[in-house]
Amino acid sequence: AARGIHIKRLKHVINYDFPNNLEQYCHRVGRTGRDQNNNNNNSSKKSADKEKEKEPSADDPAFVRSIIALHEKYTELIVVHFQSNALFQKALKDAFISFMNRDVGKFKTADLLSTYADRLLRTGNSSSGGGGSSNVTTPLTDSEIEVQLERIVQLFTYIVDKDLFSEIYRNQLAKRLLNQRSASDEMERVMIGKLKLRCGSQFTSKMEGMLNDLSVGADHQLEFEEYVKKENLLDGKAELQVNVLTTGHWPTFKTFDNITLGPELTNCVKVFQKFYLEIKTNHRRLSWIYSLGHVLIKAVFNNTNKYELNVTTLQAVVLFYFNHTDDNIQSFNHLLETTNIPEEALKRILHSLSCGKYKVLKRIPNNETNTGDNKTNSKENISSKKIYNTDSFQFNNSFTCPLRKIRIPMANLEDIHSTTGAASSTSTALTKKLEDDRSHAIEAAIVRIMKIRKQFSHQQLIAEVLTQLSFFRPNPKVIKKCIEALIDREYLERDTTNPNIFKYLA
């Protein structure tokens, strides 16, 4: 068909300038979709020369939406015009598997899909944003969200490293649930059900356990409130809500041990521990994760201005300390020694309280700050927003704000040992955890196979392991290392006559 000729009722034109086969053509179209996404990003940067350049974000839905549209387009083409022919379906599947498992940017496809699902399931989801040109956002209905989730899961089936998607999605699910940012528990269960249908109950068992923990926790909370009211505890001055999480279901969170909470928070902890460990059960051990907690504090400034501060538990520890000291000015080192909060974490806490938008504390720089062999001028120290060990802090009694309810944000504490930023730290920790989990899965598969076979050759064992592990594609070199590790731990042994044959040791 020549360009410029309009033919009525012609929906599709087949281009005979194909590559060798349809699979390569679909692959080329998928690659073009990625290139177009990159070109769109480049064009948007060129048009915003006067604006500050933005780092690429996994929360940008443009790429995922373009892939969904591409998949819908060619699925409809195969269903309508080729009557769902198996050859065309296989070509489409192979093409999507090929280009969706290629690392061409900063983020993996599994990360982008999971983040797009997180965007849909968070409170305040909308039908535009990211790559859209319209500033108007329309909340999505449950039926629209379910349709989008189904499309995400369809693309998810093409991903080889499904365990990577699972870890990223589980971390995002935990943040939604614990920060009360989930738009609907029903939609959360719908998404988990779709993943379970395609990957089995083992894949979603931890996610289901997270939702069950919060459902059981709601009943425990009602019993705890009745217990506090009956025993007349907490003196009616505080209200406490605790989420008890099963360690195996939830991601690993950063814990701060030996922190001095102060009398208010310490009393709350003791009351709940007595209720849960003595009345509910005595077969469990509670480990408190203060980095995830939130506290609503009623604060009074200048004896007249009353505010409700929404802060983290660690921020509350620092603020409560100023409530119990006669000396209004406290040095950084004294706060460090008194609260037992790690130094880097305390710096971030004090930065949020004294250098952020809402300065409820005053930062008092020292005249001269020693930093190794260098000395910074007092003027530079005063203008800097960096917290130094020689700084002091004072309750800002003159603080005013037109809002009565104030949320004071704080930087993430998960990456305080990182030198390259939160994203790389999270990526490194996630990669290490995936490697460990995969090694355990490979070893478990080897033991299962050898327990049945009793004796197997090296090539047959590797082929069988590759067949059994469906959530990721293991590297044959890693399988070989796991076999050697099992031999060292005396699960397997080599045949004395043929070293390429392994025997199972009961």
Side-chain angles (χ1 to χ4, degrees):
R3 293 184 179 180
I5 299 177
H6 177 67
I7 303 176
K8 293 182 179 180
R9 292 182 291 180
L10 180 63
K11 295 184 178 179
H12 300 283
V13 176
I14 298 178
N15 182 7
Y16 285 96
D17 185 21
F18 269 6
N20 294 333
N21 52 49
L22 182 61
E23 178 182 344
Q24 291 184 9
Y25 180 74
C26 293
H27 178 206
R28 188 176 68 184
V29 172
R31 185 177 57 198
T32 303
R34 283 182 177 269
D35 294 338
Q36 288 177 351
N37 182 62
N38 293 333
N39 292 335
N40 291 337
N41 291 337
N42 292 333
S43 62
S44 63
K45 288 181 179 179
K46 291 179 181 178
S47 63
D49 291 335
K50 297 182 180 181
E51 298 180 2
K52 186 178 179 180
E53 291 187 1
K54 296 182 179 180
E55 288 291 328
S57 172
D59 197 35
D60 187 354
F63 173 71
V64 177
R65 284 175 178 165
S66 66
I67 295 298
I68 290 176
L70 184 70
H71 187 262
E72 290 291 308
K73 174 183 177 181
Y74 286 99
T75 300
E76 181 184 2
L77 176 65
I78 293 172
V79 171
V80 175
H81 296 279
F82 296 100
Q83 289 75 47
S84 300
N85 183 276
L87 179 62
F88 283 90
Q89 288 183 340
K90 183 180 183 302
L92 180 67
K93 178 181 177 181
D94 292 343
F96 269 81
I97 289 176
S98 176
F99 78 80
M100 288 193 66
N101 289 285
R102 292 191 177 187
D103 297 333
V104 295
K106 182 178 179 181
F107 302 101
K108 293 181 179 292
T109 307
D111 193 356
L112 295 170
L113 286 179
S114 179
T115 305
Y116 185 66
D118 177 64
R119 184 187 184 93
L120 292 172
L121 294 169
R122 286 199 311 253
T123 53
N125 58 66
S126 61
S127 59
S128 65
S133 60
S134 175
N135 294 326
V136 180
T137 59
T138 306
L140 298 175
T141 63
D142 286 350
S143 59
E144 291 173 333
I145 293 175
E146 187 171 355
V147 170
Q148 291 293 318
L149 294 179
E150 178 62 31
R151 292 172 177 172
I152 292 173
V153 174
Q154 287 176 355
L155 295 178
F156 158 77
T157 57
Y158 299 127
I159 298 176
V160 174
D161 296 333
K162 292 181 173 59
D163 57 340
L164 174 61
F165 177 92
S166 174
E167 282 299 318
I168 297 173
Y169 185 84
R170 195 161 65 96
N171 288 333
Q172 293 171 338
L173 174 62
K175 291 179 181 179
R176 290 198 300 272
L177 296 178
L178 296 179
N179 295 329
Q180 297 180 350
R181 294 295 306 276
S182 177
S184 169
D185 288 344
E186 182 182 353
M187 285 296 103
E188 297 286 3
R189 295 187 183 277
V190 166
M191 179 62 177
I192 294 175
K194 292 180 183 297
L195 294 173
K196 184 177 181 180
L197 184 63
R198 286 166 173 80
C199 298
S201 58
Q202 181 184 357
F203 187 80
T204 59
S205 60
K206 292 182 179 180
M207 303 177 196
E208 291 175 318
M210 293 163 65
L211 294 176
N212 292 335
D213 279 348
L214 296 187
S215 338
V216 174
D219 297 332
H220 286 173
Q221 181 63 27
L222 295 176
E223 296 177 15
F224 175 67
E225 291 174 358
E226 294 177 0
Y227 166 76
V228 170
K229 185 177 181 181
K230 180 180 178 181
E231 300 293 332
N232 194 23
L233 303 172
L234 301 180
D235 301 327
K237 297 181 179 179
E239 296 180 3
L240 178 64
Q241 181 176 352
V242 180
N243 291 323
V244 181
L245 314 178
T246 305
T247 304
H249 295 160
W250 296 78
T252 302
F253 300 107
K254 192 171 188 62
T255 58
F256 296 90
D257 300 326
N258 303 321
I259 289 180
T260 305
L261 294 177
E264 296 91 351
L265 298 178
T266 300
N267 184 39
C268 292
V269 169
K270 288 181 178 178
V271 169
F272 186 82
Q273 282 183 328
K274 182 179 179 181
F275 162 77
Y276 192 79
L277 299 179
E278 296 182 10
I279 299 176
K280 291 299 298 180
T281 178
N282 56 1
H283 302 292
R284 291 189 176 186
R285 181 175 63 89
L286 288 178
S287 177
W288 294 85
I289 306 175
Y290 301 119
S291 59
L292 297 178
H294 292 273
V295 181
L296 292 177
I297 300 177
K298 292 183 179 179
V300 180
F301 295 86
N302 199 23
N303 296 325
T304 55
N305 299 326
K306 298 180 180 180
Y307 301 95
E308 187 176 276
L309 306 180
N310 185 351
V311 296
T312 66
T313 304
L314 297 179
Q315 287 175 313
V317 170
V318 174
L319 289 176
F320 279 140
Y321 181 77
F322 284 89
N323 211 30
H324 296 285
T325 179
D326 296 330
D327 189 1
N328 197 20
I329 300 177
Q330 301 297 325
S331 68
F332 177 86
N333 290 328
H334 184 68
L335 289 172
L336 183 67
E337 180 182 354
T338 306
T339 60
N340 288 324
I341 298 175
E343 181 177 335
E344 289 301 319
L346 182 59
K347 285 183 178 180
R348 297 194 179 195
I349 294 168
L350 292 172
H351 183 277
S352 66
L353 297 174
S354 62
C355 301
K357 183 178 179 180
Y358 306 106
K359 299 178 177 62
V360 294
L361 296 181
K362 286 183 179 179
R363 172 176 165 265
I364 306 174
N366 198 4
N367 291 334
E368 200 173 67
T369 302
N370 295 322
T371 58
D373 296 332
N374 300 324
K375 293 184 178 181
T376 58
N377 190 286
S378 60
K379 292 183 179 180
E380 295 177 356
N381 191 12
I382 291 173
S383 61
S384 172
K385 288 189 176 183
K386 184 178 180 181
I387 303 298
Y388 295 92
N389 290 28
T390 54
D391 289 344
S392 297
F393 298 87
Q394 181 181 20
F395 183 73
N396 186 9
N397 204 32
S398 60
F399 172 80
T400 58
C401 181
L403 303 175
R404 291 303 166 187
K405 294 183 178 181
I406 303 171
R407 178 181 175 273
I408 303 179
M410 188 180 69
N412 187 14
L413 296 177
E414 295 295 327
D415 61 312
I416 61 173
H417 298 297
S418 171
T419 58
T420 57
S424 62
S425 174
T426 304
S427 176
T428 303
L430 182 61
T431 301
K432 186 178 183 304
K433 185 178 185 306
L434 275 179
E435 289 176 354
D436 294 340
D437 291 345
R438 287 178 177 181
S439 296
H440 296 323
I442 293 171
E443 290 181 357
I446 293 171
V447 171
R448 283 197 306 268
I449 294 168
M450 293 303 297
K451 195 172 184 180
I452 297 172
R453 301 287 186 174
K454 303 300 181 183
Q455 183 173 309
F456 228 23
S457 69
H458 178 76
Q459 292 300 329
Q460 288 176 321
L461 180 57
I462 290 181
E464 189 69 20
V465 170
L466 291 173
T467 304
Q468 286 201 11
L469 297 175
S470 58
F471 296 153
F472 64 95
R473 182 186 296 163
N475 190 331
K477 293 182 179 179
V478 178
I479 299 177
K480 186 176 179 180
K481 289 181 180 179
C482 292
I483 292 174
E484 295 296 335
L486 291 173
I487 292 175
D488 293 338
R489 281 143 55 190
E490 298 183 351
Y491 282 90
L492 307 176
E493 68 174 0
R494 293 184 184 272
D495 187 76
T496 54
T497 58
N498 188 352
N500 286 326
I501 294 178
F502 302 105
K503 293 182 178 179
Y504 178 71
L505 298 177

